[in-house]
Amino acid sequence: MRLKVEFRASNGALTLPLNYQECLQGLLYRSLGDRDFSAFLHDKGFQKEKRSFKLFTFSRLYGEHEIIRKEKKIKYFNTVTWYISSVMPKLIQLIGENFLFRNEKIYVENQPIEMVKVEIERMEFAEQSCIIEMLSPITVYSTYEQADGTKKTHFFSPLDEIFSSMVEKNFSNKYEAFYGVKPPNRFILKPIEVKSNYKVVTSFKGFRITAWQGRFELLSTPDQIQFAYDAGLGSRNSQGFGMFRILN
């Protein structure tokens, strides 16, 4: 299930750091309005062995904007559009109700915002393949220990041969964490349009992340495509990575 949120700054413009995913994640958690559910998501999530998955994701912000490079900030004018998605209808319902009926002001980075429109979007899948476009960049990586004992993280490009298998492995782990069984069918992601300038280098809580925008072909069963549509592709979905829209 997916939420489409349109809002605007109460003071005319919304200024955020370029790496604003942490601000949006904070807004999302604050807007749940259910402390037990929020604590479950934040502290535990759905687990497979040592891995924990939140099974929600969100998009970048879309709207008229200006990048202030010297200050490493971005300023949004007029109405901004934001998408939130989850395999848990409860999460979408709680946030939607909070945004619609909240009496006190809503703040992003200490700036008040006003909700313009909040809509629930539902998508039903019938085909076994589709063309997708990322609404927030996709990231997959591997962390390993070097000879000196320090750890290093390697981020994979969609053009790397291992990229598709890494995405499929991540999908399988999330699916099993939620349903308790392995996905019965293959899940294949193929790059269609990924250019060098689609590379996104950002950070979340000081951790440097490399991710990619672009268009891909997704091949699987309708129910597995639905799960990925709701939960996100690749890693770090709950930090604002891996959300996509269907082009066909």
Side-chain angles (χ1 to χ4, degrees):
M1 188 177 289
R2 187 164 287 190
L3 200 66
K4 181 182 179 182
V5 182
E6 295 181 11
F7 64 86
R8 58 172 170 255
S10 300
N11 300 329
L14 178 66
T15 303
L16 300 173
L18 282 175
N19 304 325
Y20 55 70
Q21 295 97 325
E22 188 176 347
C23 303
L24 297 181
Q25 188 195 64
L27 172 61
L28 193 152
Y29 276 119
R30 292 194 306 273
S31 301
L32 285 171
D34 183 321
R35 290 185 178 180
D36 291 338
F37 185 56
S38 179
F40 163 75
L41 282 180
H42 187 273
D43 301 333
K44 186 177 180 181
F46 297 88
Q47 296 180 318
K48 183 200 171 186
E49 299 170 354
K50 294 182 179 180
R51 298 182 180 89
S52 175
F53 303 98
K54 314 301 183 183
L55 300 185
F56 71 83
T57 189
F58 54 88
S59 73
R60 304 175 92 175
L61 297 179
Y62 291 89
E64 182 185 352
H65 65 274
E66 172 191 2
I67 296 177
I68 311 168
R69 298 194 180 278
K70 289 184 179 180
E71 300 179 19
K72 295 183 179 180
K73 292 183 177 180
I74 184 168
K75 181 181 287 188
Y76 287 92
F77 309 95
N78 302 319
T79 301
V80 178
T81 301
W82 184 36
Y83 298 92
I84 304 166
S85 184
S86 177
V87 300
M88 297 167 283
K90 181 177 180 178
L91 183 145
I92 299 300
Q93 181 180 351
L94 286 173
I95 295 175
E97 290 176 351
N98 198 303
F99 284 163
L100 281 172
F101 305 118
R102 192 169 180 171
N103 294 323
E104 67 270 21
K105 283 281 188 180
I106 300 173
Y107 289 85
V108 180
E109 195 72 356
N110 297 317
Q111 299 163 83
I113 61 171
E114 301 171 355
M115 291 296 159
V116 176
K117 184 186 295 185
V118 179
E119 296 178 327
I120 289 179
E121 295 186 339
R122 291 181 174 86
M123 189 91 174
E124 294 186 1
F125 295 89
E127 304 297 327
Q128 297 192 10
S129 68
C130 55
I131 306 301
I132 68 170
E133 182 176 58
M134 303 311 300
L135 289 174
S136 56
I138 180 173
T139 182
V140 289
Y141 59 90
S142 178
T143 301
Y144 57 93
E145 188 173 294
Q146 301 183 99
D148 61 1
T150 60
K151 291 186 177 180
K152 185 174 182 179
T153 300
H154 177 78
F155 292 91
F156 295 96
S157 161
L159 303 181
D160 293 334
E161 290 185 6
I162 197 173
F163 183 86
S164 181
S165 63
M166 292 288 288
V167 171
E168 183 172 23
K169 182 179 179 181
N170 175 273
F171 170 83
S172 178
N173 286 334
K174 285 186 288 199
Y175 189 97
E176 188 172 356
F178 187 67
Y179 288 112
V181 296
K182 294 182 182 296
N185 299 285
R186 292 292 309 277
F187 185 86
I188 301 171
L189 187 72
K190 297 180 179 180
I192 291 179
E193 184 183 353
V194 180
K195 301 177 181 178
S196 59
N197 63 337
Y198 289 1
K199 182 179 179 180
V200 177
V201 180
T202 183
S203 66
F204 190 94
K205 294 185 177 179
F207 184 79
R208 191 177 176 89
I209 300 169
T210 300
W212 294 82
Q213 295 289 111
R215 295 184 177 186
F216 300 81
E217 182 181 11
L218 183 54
L219 301 98
S220 191
T221 56
D223 62 316
Q224 292 188 178
I225 293 175
Q226 178 75 63
F227 183 83
Y229 181 81
D230 291 336
L233 290 171
S235 302
R236 297 183 173 267
N237 303 132
S238 65
Q239 296 176 5
F241 294 90
M243 190 180 209
F244 64 88
R245 68 186 181 101
I246 307 295
L247 294 182
N248 69 335

